[in-house]
């Protein structure tokens, strides 16, 4: 007989510090439950992962009720990753799936479930095509230029959707909100029920240990029981707004002074899964730390910390820059320093760079918008997120850094540029540009917490796994409530992969539930 082995994940068997979220709420008295609503599938969460799962299941003929505690639709990201989509094929772009998987594993410290990673890789294009087909002829779709560097390179599978001029089918102009609107409209047209302002409180099980549904507090203030005869699906997003969960699973997420605030990202699904006996990902969960604070632009120019000193090889991606910045004295922000040549220097290297923060963000086929870049810098100066001065000493005063340090740093950097060999930090020669012709500029940027990626362990059927290593019948997880695919760092190898995963998992979930 095969020996049963226990999975070594954070579980309700081994509480770490007695966090308050580890204690489930008291059940609502039966007399206070106003009614029971039954459907084949109950989805908890109405963001992109919940709407994608709901719409795809409804598309396959399942009766679905979706609950979302927020009163209005919410979406943060604007990018959708897909591996080898038809849009990429039209542009002659191909991703080597095996190399992407290898790089993903390496970036995650090999702490991911490879089968879940391959589920995303193999089904992301299928899910993206489904989204495009739902929208009909209403979308313009571009593929972002990917960052290309010797230390790290992005894969060119990041898509951006925009509403075509003249299309009045949707009200949002593009990005995540448009994707959510497409999915919501499709879901409702297929007879789905979407209840916003309705917060799931806890899951319920029957005597056999099957998750049968949840109890929720509804928009009218009443409690109701929602029963899923086939499945209850957790799609409640991440835990970035729960300080205790950050302390338990992603301490670095507590460090940035800036955070993108979205109402409701308090790890509700992770908590409900935990109370139901699920195994959660081991710490440290992956954080999305992007350098979007203040001006948000870093580029390849000289970077200095708040002491006016260089501190890194600037030829890297924004996630790495965020972490490097956090490690500096007063690590809330740093500066990019450049001189009057910066517009020409960006233009000369435009097609060699790509990526967020390294160049003005553009899609494949677009050219360098020199005027747009200049307007951007002037706007940041007007808003106090950038500074301009005729001398380095005056610039240092505006930056509130020691003038002597900044002058010495620039002098040393110019020596490196002249030699063509960055012996201090190893930046490639092509990105070494001097700082010597006034006026001089300093753009302020800093790390911002966006998301935390970690959740309930699942198998490739998206069925939640219990602390006893056995599946919890009836319980599924998608999106950021699901674990297994991320660790350590959010993999900017492929920007927008969380939205791509939402679509890929929606395809898989519907197949699984319709096959039962």
């Amino acid at each position: 007989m095969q020996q049963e082995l226990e999975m070594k994940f954070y579980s309700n068997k081994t509480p770490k510090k007695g966090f308050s979220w580890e204690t489930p709420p008291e059940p609502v008295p039966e007399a206070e439950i106003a009614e029971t609503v039954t459907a084949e599938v109950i989805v908890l969460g109405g963001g992109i992962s919940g709407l994608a799962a709901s719409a795809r299941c409804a598309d396959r003929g399942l009766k679905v009720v979706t609950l979302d505690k927020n009163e209005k639709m919410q979406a943060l990201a604007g990018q959708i990753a897909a591996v080898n989509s038809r849009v990429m094929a039209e542009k002659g772009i191909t991703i080597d799936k095996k190399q992407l998987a290898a790089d993903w594993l390496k970036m995650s410290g090999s702490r991911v479930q490879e089968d879940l990673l391959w589920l995303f890789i193999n089904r992301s294009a299928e899910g993206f095509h489904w989204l495009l087909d739902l929208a009909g002829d209403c979308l313009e779709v571009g593929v972002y230029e990917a960052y290309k560097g010797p230390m790290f390179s992005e894969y060119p599978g990041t898509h951006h959707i925009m509403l075509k001029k003249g299309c009045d089918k949707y009200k949002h102009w593009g990005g995540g909100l448009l994707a959510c609107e497409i999915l919501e409209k499709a879901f409702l047209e297929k007879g789905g029920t979407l209840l916003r302002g309705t917060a799931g409180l806890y899951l319920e099980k029957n005597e056999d240990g099957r998750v049968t549904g949840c109890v929720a507090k509804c928009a009218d203030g009443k409690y109701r029981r929602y029963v899923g005869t086939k499945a209850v699906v957790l799609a409640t997003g991440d835990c970035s707004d729960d300080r205790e969960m950050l302390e338990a699973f992603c301490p670095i997420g507590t460090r940035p002074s800036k955070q993108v605030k979205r109402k409701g990202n308090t790890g509700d699904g992770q908590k409900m899964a935990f109370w139901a006996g699920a195994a959660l990902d081991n710490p440290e969960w992956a954080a999305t730390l992007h350098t979007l604070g203040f001006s948000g632009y870093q580029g390849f120019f000289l970077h200095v910390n708040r002491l006016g000193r260089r501190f890194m090889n600037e030829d890297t991606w924004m996630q790495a820059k965020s972490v490097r910045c956090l490690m500096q004295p007063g690590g809330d922000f740093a500066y990019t320093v450049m001189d009057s040549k910066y517009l020409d220097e960006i233009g000369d290297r435009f097609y060699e760079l790509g990526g967020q923060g390294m160049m003005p963000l553009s899609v494949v086929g677009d050219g360098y918008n020199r005027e747009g870049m200049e307007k951007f810098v002037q706007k940041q100066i007007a808003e106090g997120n950038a500074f301009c001065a005729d001398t380095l000493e005056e610039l240092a005063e505006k930056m509130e850094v020691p003038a002597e340090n900044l002058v010495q740093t620039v002098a040393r950097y110019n020596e490196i540029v002249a030699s063509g060999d960055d012996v201090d930090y190893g930046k490639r020669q092509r990105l070494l540009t001097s700082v010597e012709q006034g006026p001089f500029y300093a753009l302020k940027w800093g790390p911002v917490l966006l998301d935390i990626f970690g959740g309930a362990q699942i198998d490739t059927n998206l069925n939640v796994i219990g602390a006893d290593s056995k599946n919890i019948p009836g319980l599924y997880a998608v999106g950021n409530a699901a674990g297994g695919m991320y660790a350590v760092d959010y993999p900017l190898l492929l920007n927008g992969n969380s939205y791509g995963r939402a679509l890929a998992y929606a395809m898989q979930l519907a197949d699984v539930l319709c096959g039962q």
Side-chain angles (χ1 to χ4, degrees), residues 3 17 20 29 46 107-108 112 149 193 205 211 213 216-217 250 261 275 282 336 343 366 369 410 413 423:
Q3 182 181 5
K17 290 175 59 178
S20 64
M107 189 171 184
S108 304
V112 300
T193 300
K205 290 182 175 181
V211 171
K217 187 173 183 179
C250 189
K261 289 292 185 183
W275 300 331
N282 288 319
T336 288
L343 291 171
D366 282 357
N369 185 352
V410 169
Y413 188 69
V423 295

Side-chain angles (χ1 to χ4, degrees), residues 30-103:
E30 195 65 29
E32 295 183 24
I33 296 180
E35 64 176 315
T36 296
V37 177
T38 301
E40 289 176 289
V41 182
I42 302 296
V43 177
L44 302 179
I48 188 167
S49 62
L51 290 172
S54 301
R56 185 61 181 174
C57 286
D59 197 35
R60 296 287 299 274
L62 296 172
K63 182 180 179 182
V64 184
V65 173
T66 300
L67 316 179
D68 187 57
K69 73 178 184 181
N70 297 306
E71 295 180 357
K72 296 181 180 179
M73 179 192 301
Q74 291 197 99
L76 173 62
Q79 303 159 354
I80 304 172
V83 181
N84 297 337
S85 71
R86 66 194 186 208
V87 179
M88 295 169 63
E90 291 169 0
K91 298 179 181 298
I93 302 170
T94 303
I95 288 176
D96 183 331
K97 292 183 176 182
K98 293 179 181 178
Q99 189 60 52
L100 171 61
D103 288 342

Side-chain angles (χ1 to χ4, degrees), residues 137-211:
D137 192 37
C138 279
L139 302 182
E140 298 279 357
V141 186
V143 180
Y144 279 134
E145 288 277 9
Y147 166 66
K148 301 167 282 289
M151 274 198 305
F152 176 91
S153 290
E154 296 168 353
Y155 283 81
T158 299
H159 301 73
H160 186 65
I161 60 172
M162 293 183 64
L163 196 63
K164 283 184 178 178
K165 291 182 179 179
C167 177
D168 59 1
K169 187 176 180 181
Y170 306 104
K171 65 179 181 180
H172 292 100
W173 66 270
L177 284 171
L178 176 56
C180 286
E181 186 180 1
I182 293 168
L183 295 167
E184 180 177 308
K185 185 177 179 66
F187 175 51
L188 297 177
E189 287 177 348
K190 288 291 183 179
T193 300
L194 175 61
L195 302 173
R196 296 203 182 273
T198 303
L201 302 178
Y202 56 86
L203 303 173
E204 292 189 317
K205 290 182 175 181
N206 63 17
E207 61 276 6
D208 296 324
R210 179 183 182 85
V211 171

Side-chain angles (χ1 to χ4, degrees), residues 474-487:
L475 184 60
Y476 298 80
V478 296
N480 292 349
M485 211 179 93
Y486 300 90

Side-chain angles (χ1 to χ4, degrees), residues 2 68 105 136 142 145 158 164 167 176 189 192 286 294 298 305 308 427 503 507:
Q2 184 176 351
D68 187 57
L105 287 166
E145 288 277 9
T158 299
K164 283 184 178 178
C167 177
E189 287 177 348
F294 308 99
Q298 318 93 55
N305 62 18
K427 183 157 72 173
L503 297 173
M507 309 301 286

Side-chain angles (χ1 to χ4, degrees), residues 222-365:
K222 295 181 180 180
Y223 297 102
R224 290 180 175 86
R225 173 176 287 116
Y226 293 89
V227 174
T229 59
K230 277 185 173 288
V232 176
V233 182
L234 300 174
T236 52
D238 80 315
C239 65
S240 56
D241 285 341
D242 188 297
R243 181 79 180 191
E244 279 194 340
M245 293 199 80
L246 292 182
E247 291 173 358
F249 295 109
C250 189
I252 197 171
T254 66
R255 295 186 60 186
S257 62
K258 287 183 173 289
Q259 178 178 350
V260 174
K261 289 292 185 183
R262 287 157 297 151
K263 183 179 179 182
N265 285 62
T266 50
D268 296 1
Q270 290 87 338
K271 294 170 187 174
M272 284 188 274
F274 181 80
W275 300 331
L280 302 183
D281 279 331
N282 288 319
E284 178 157 335
W285 293 4
T288 305
L289 301 173
H290 283 0
T291 45
L292 300 177
F294 308 99
S295 77
Y297 178 75
Q298 318 93 55
F300 55 87
F301 302 98
L302 169 66
H303 294 354
V304 301
N305 62 18
R306 294 175 66 175
L307 298 179
R309 296 192 173 107
R310 189 182 183 202
F311 62 97
M312 67 176 296
N313 181 343
E314 298 88 353
D315 184 10
T316 191
W317 72 108
M318 70 158 67
Q319 188 90 344
K321 292 185 180 185
S322 295
V323 176
R324 301 285 199 283
C325 183
L326 284 174
M327 296 169 67
Q328 298 306 301
D332 291 341
F333 58 86
Y335 294 98
T336 288
V337 178
M338 53 197 191
D339 71 4
S340 59
K341 312 184 304 299
Y342 79 93
L343 291 171
D344 292 333
E345 289 166 340
I346 293 174
D348 289 344
R349 296 155 182 81
F350 187 76
Y351 294 103
E352 300 175 38
L353 293 173
Q356 298 188 67
M358 286 297 285
M359 61 177 268
L361 203 57
S362 65
V363 299
V364 174

